[in-house]
Amino acid sequence: MFKHLTGDKWLSLTAVIAALLLIFVWVPLDIDTGLVEKVRRQIRLGDSLGPVTAGVVILLGGILTWMRPSADPQSLSVDNLKWMATLAVTIAVAFIVMRFAGPLITSLFTDTPYRALRATPPWNYIGYIAGGALLVATLISLARRKVSLSAALVGIIASLVFALLYDLPFDDLQLPPNGDV
Amino acid sequence: MGIWDHAVMGFMSVFSGPEAFTLLGISVSVTLVMILIGFLMGITVGATPGLAGPMAMAIALPILISIFGFSQDAFLPVMGFLIGIMKGATLGGSVPAILFNTPGTPDAYMTTLDGYPMAQKGQAKKALKVAHLSSVSGDTFSDVVLVLCAPFLAVLVESYLDLPEKAALLILSLAFIAAVIGGSVGKGLISMGLGLLAAMIATGEDFYPRLTMGSPALAEGFPIATAILGVLILGEVFKSIEDMIRSGIQSAPRPAATVAGDRLSFAEIRRLAPHIGRSSVIGTIIGALPGIGSTLAATLGYTFARARYDNKRSASDPRFGEGAPEGIAATEAANSAVSGANLIPVLSLGIPGNAAAVFLILGMESIGGFNPGPAVFRVPSDGFNPELIMAFGLFTAMFLTNGLNWTIGGVFMRAVGVMARVPKEVLLPVVLLLTLTAIYVQENTMAAMWIAVGFGMLGYIMRRVGMSPLPFVIAFILGGKLEETARQAFAATGGDPFFLFTHPIAAAFMVMSLAVIVFNLRKPSP
């Protein structure tokens, strides 16, 4: 049934369904006041009006996209979805390394908890440089379609430079993940 | 204090702010230094394919806020830096376009058509000089129009527009942006609706933060800078890296010629002048309209110039596309003339028209103390208006940047041709890390980085389905203001549900909103 639908028609359907869900499900369930409300005998605009307006705009956009699809429609391909998944995993792994590398390595070399060392070089750089270098090196390797030492070096140098850029001149700034630990 | 006193104080504030250093006994203010650094960085960024002015402004903003803080003293150094980047990047974009046939910024694409053939003929230096002269002329003209028009427009708005009219004007601006950007009205509206929705989350007048589904993570709403950086910058980075993976990495471009060649004679400048003048006007008009970017200005400037050039061309002159200096002049004057005029709706109405203006507004909002809109140009009967002084400070910063552009811009742009050789596959992941770091430094929580990645994915999807993210961003910025103005207008009209249609000017704006959508719907689909 849906095989003949172009990318724009899919987008249109998605927008219309999302808009209807927003207007008729999300807004009534999650906002107490209506489109207008009466407060101390005065009528004023309620909190629902803005989101419902947004929903109507999305709905209208969906309908117009259905009626006037592009001659050369673009759509999300399976390859695009695979790339999004790859990207999400890469970033998630880099963030996890960034978050936990510092506390882990600190616990191996010292009895002082990481929280007490999160403003002390070199401990405060460990997570950021490990996660940042991993992120940069992985993306360069994906783009070049090969793993190389130069990609790793670029990652390490870039994250080291950014760490120093923020940490040396500004005492009150914290590198990731030091505000969270 | 009168308007002249405000202008003098604004002018002086650029020179007399916090001191950076002294030179021959003369104090040099931090603002001047920041304008210079921003301008040079802008040219460098513009000359680097894969980077663009708005991207550099986005990355620089959190760093600048970290350095200068949120005080009023921060306003001019930060805004001067951002303006320097904006203006410099437009000029820098022509460098790789001429030398390597690779536009440094999207609006420099048309420059490649005649710039690169000139470089191949050994006239690279002349082509760069034409680009510089045209760019600076267009930019300066646009700034003059800005200074003359923005206060005038603001005074008009303040004099004739009440709350219902202001609400209708915001709706007209959003309708215009949604209808003209990206070529599809439907997709523009979807993008705008999503932006309005994002602006509504966790806001409102009720005690319960609306649309948060009880989630503490959403209770604070989306940090505006994080969301915008995600959609505009990360979305572009995600798409560009995937493009490289799919189509392979292009090898570093080789220069077509050395940066040498003929001088630009006075007779040639006189021949270019009409093209520069016409394109400056086109670029200024386009820049003043919200939502239409410098790329369209460049295309229109080039197209008009070609039609005129073909009528007057002698047999020995090269055609457009074969190395005609007039082609470069028409393109560069038009795209540079956008950068001043795009501040007209920003300063007089508080409405950003393009990505660069979005980051200027973001800068103003982040620092505080300056709320772009008609009130900026109000001259008080007693005392002074600090926002008006700041506005004149901004104007001064713009003209100082032009002064730098006229004097050192040409020399510097010829030195940054090497930037086209920076490999894009290295540059983009580094930009990603720097952007995420800048977000963390500002928000101090990894949740903000996740939110940025989420909005980056949204920006990526938008680009893949052919939907411009700009209506989303502008609606996100204006959504709260629109709702607040509508609430006030509703209350001020005694609860009139048709307040947008019962006031003549407001009704006219609403009809124009409908007309702009219908008109764009009737255009043949791209």
Side-chain angles (χ1 to χ4, degrees), chain A residues 8 26 30 45 47 57 65 68 71 74 79-80 83 87 128 139 144-145 166 170 174 177 179-180, chain B residues 63 67 187 189 205-206 208 210-213 238 242 245-246 425 437 440 446 466 487 521 523 526:
Chain A
D8 274 8
W26 192 5
D30 214 31
L45 298 182
D47 275 359
V57 171
T65 305
R68 300 272 299 169
Q74 296 165 277
D79 282 343
N80 294 147
W83 165 242
L87 201 53
Y128 177 72
L139 291 176
R144 287 178 176 167
R145 296 181 191 167
Y166 279 105
F170 310 113
Q174 286 185 312
D180 292 87
Chain B
I63 300 172
I67 297 171
K187 289 178 189 174
L189 285 173
E205 293 195 335
D206 201 6
Y208 171 73
R210 67 183 167 191
L211 300 175
T212 54
M213 297 173 285
F238 293 165
E242 190 195 20
I245 293 172
R246 303 260 176 264
E425 81 275 10
T437 311
Y440 187 90
M446 288 198 80
R487 280 185 199 277
L521 266 179
K523 283 197 308 190

Side-chain angles (χ1 to χ4, degrees), chain B residues 380-471:
Chain B
S381 52
D382 189 29
F384 63 92
N385 175 0
E387 288 184 312
L388 185 54
I389 295 170
M390 289 158 118
F392 279 112
L394 277 184
F395 292 156
T396 308
M398 295 184 85
F399 281 104
L400 283 173
T401 315
N402 286 341
L404 290 172
N405 217 340
W406 280 106
T407 49
I408 61 171
V411 177
F412 192 74
M413 76 184 279
R414 290 195 284 277
V416 292
V418 68
M419 291 308 292
R421 294 180 162 274
V422 177
K424 209 173 163 184
E425 81 275 10
V426 171
L427 191 68
L428 290 175
V430 171
V431 166
L432 173 66
L433 178 63
L434 182 56
T435 310
L436 290 171
T437 311
I439 288 168
Y440 187 90
V441 164
Q442 210 169 30
E443 299 293 333
N444 216 25
T445 165
M446 288 198 80
M449 288 163 66
W450 282 111
I451 291 172
V453 171
F455 276 100
M457 290 289 183
L458 177 66
Y460 167 82
I461 293 171
M462 285 177 158
R463 286 166 173 85
R464 283 291 173 228
V465 299
M467 184 189 294
S468 168
L470 207 53

